[in-house]
Amino acid sequence: MAAPLMPAWVQGVNPLFADLRELSAQRATDRWGKNLMRVAQILWCPLFLWFAYLQLNDPDAVIWAVAYCAVSLNCACAAFNKTSTAASLVLTAALVTWAAVIAMTDSSHFSAVEQGSFLDNEVVREVAGLMLGSLWSAITAIHAIQRPWKEKA
């Protein structure tokens, strides 16, 4: 006579709780990713404010300070899940466009990069700062699109 089959819970796997364990592991991973991104946003926020402060000695300080403060504000809002994906994408597009315009109008300055004087060239620093801001805004937008804890409306 064949041995009776043992129920799943006796074998150590309860089918009722298997989905709950999987869901719990997914939530823990989502929480870890959410907290990691929040910490990154909180760290980048004052850094972009510092960049805005460093621009105050420039002749065109207002426009640069506004750009860096906009990225900083985007970071602060994203840290508390109050950012808009559209706002992050618009900010990214604006900064990339601005960097491209500067790079195209002052392309002669980029030859200095080959000679090793990257930090001595203001135009190159301006484009690099805009690209850094646009990169972080793009990361914020991508994260806002992909965040699994986003409220469903």
Side-chain angles (χ1 to χ4, degrees):
M1 179 172 211
L5 292 175
M6 293 174 56
W9 61 272
V10 173
Q11 296 173 3
V13 177
N14 189 337
L16 295 174
F17 295 112
D19 290 339
L20 289 177
R21 273 190 237 122
E22 196 175 299
L23 182 63
S24 176
Q26 180 64 35
R27 285 187 181 160
T29 303
D30 293 346
R31 208 173 15 247
W32 186 82
K34 177 183 179 182
N35 290 336
L36 181 66
M37 192 63 179
R38 178 174 287 168
V39 168
Q41 294 287 7
I42 289 170
L43 291 175
W44 278 100
C45 181
L47 188 64
F48 281 112
L49 284 177
W50 177 250
F51 293 162
Y53 174 74
L54 292 177
Q55 296 300 319
L56 293 180
N57 65 350
D58 237 25
D60 52 353
V62 174
I63 195 160
W64 289 103
V66 168
Y68 285 123
C69 285
V71 177
S72 180
L73 180 64
N74 192 30
C75 290
C77 290
F80 299 104
N81 294 328
K82 301 294 183 197
T83 190
S84 163
T85 304
S88 294
L89 290 174
V90 166
L91 182 59
T92 301
L95 293 175
V96 167
T97 304
W98 189 7
V101 167
I102 291 174
M104 282 191 258
T105 56
D106 294 331
S107 61
S108 62
H109 294 281
F110 289 94
S111 62
V113 175
E114 297 171 3
Q115 300 168 357
S117 60
F118 177 75
L119 296 176
D120 296 333
N121 194 324
E122 183 180 1
V123 174
V124 175
R125 285 193 314 260
E126 288 174 350
V127 171
L130 288 171
M131 293 310 294
L132 181 66
S134 64
L135 175 67
W136 193 251
S137 294
I139 290 170
T140 301
I142 291 168
H143 188 259
I145 292 168
Q146 294 181 345
R147 63 182 178 216
W149 54 86
K150 184 166 62 174
E151 300 289 327
K152 301 282 186 201

